[in-house]
Amino acid sequence: MKVSLICTGGLSTNWIVAKIKDYAKEHDQEIEIQAFGIADYYPAVCDSDAVLLGPQIGYYQNEVQDKLGREVGVITPADYATANIGEILMAAKKLANKRSE
């Protein structure tokens, strides 16, 4: 699964990216993940299976969805603050499944 995270500048979600990469190794899962800033996510995220926004830019959800032509998720503040990788990946998997339907 290919996941893209978008935040203000692409830096604050890098710690989530690192934790997801560690999780994927520990659980023998194939997850390709990258972080982008809101100013430079397009067209890089177009081929991602799931796109999630950091909670600090959740208000961009409709704009990003319109630009990509598909559903985009927003990481909850609680999941983001606690790096709840299980919930973040579950949200990504739901989006990926909807995209493949």
Side-chain angles (χ1 to χ4, degrees):
M1 175 171 62
K2 185 173 182 179
V3 179
S4 291
L5 304 180
I6 303 173
C7 67
T8 305
L11 299 175
S12 63
T13 52
N14 275 330
W15 70 288
I16 298 286
V17 168
K19 290 197 172 280
I20 289 175
K21 285 181 179 180
D22 290 344
Y23 179 93
K25 282 181 188 176
E26 290 172 16
H27 294 87
D28 199 30
Q29 293 185 12
E30 295 267 339
I31 301 171
E32 183 181 336
I33 185 159
Q34 293 179 280
F36 299 93
I38 192 67
D40 64 354
Y41 73 92
Y42 190 85
V45 304
C46 289
D47 65 341
S48 295
D49 299 309
V51 178
L52 294 167
L53 303 178
Q56 70 275 33
I57 62 161
Y59 56 90
Y60 280 108
Q61 184 178 25
N62 289 336
E63 180 181 322
V64 175
Q65 287 179 153
D66 290 346
K67 189 161 192 163
L68 296 177
R70 63 182 165 122
E71 189 174 350
V72 170
V74 178
I75 301 170
T76 68
D79 289 341
Y80 189 82
T82 61
N84 187 344
I85 301 308
E87 288 297 317
I88 294 169
L89 285 178
M90 189 178 339
K93 287 177 186 176
K94 285 180 184 177
L95 288 168
N97 288 340
K98 285 182 181 181
R99 185 164 190 232
S100 66
E101 291 178 348

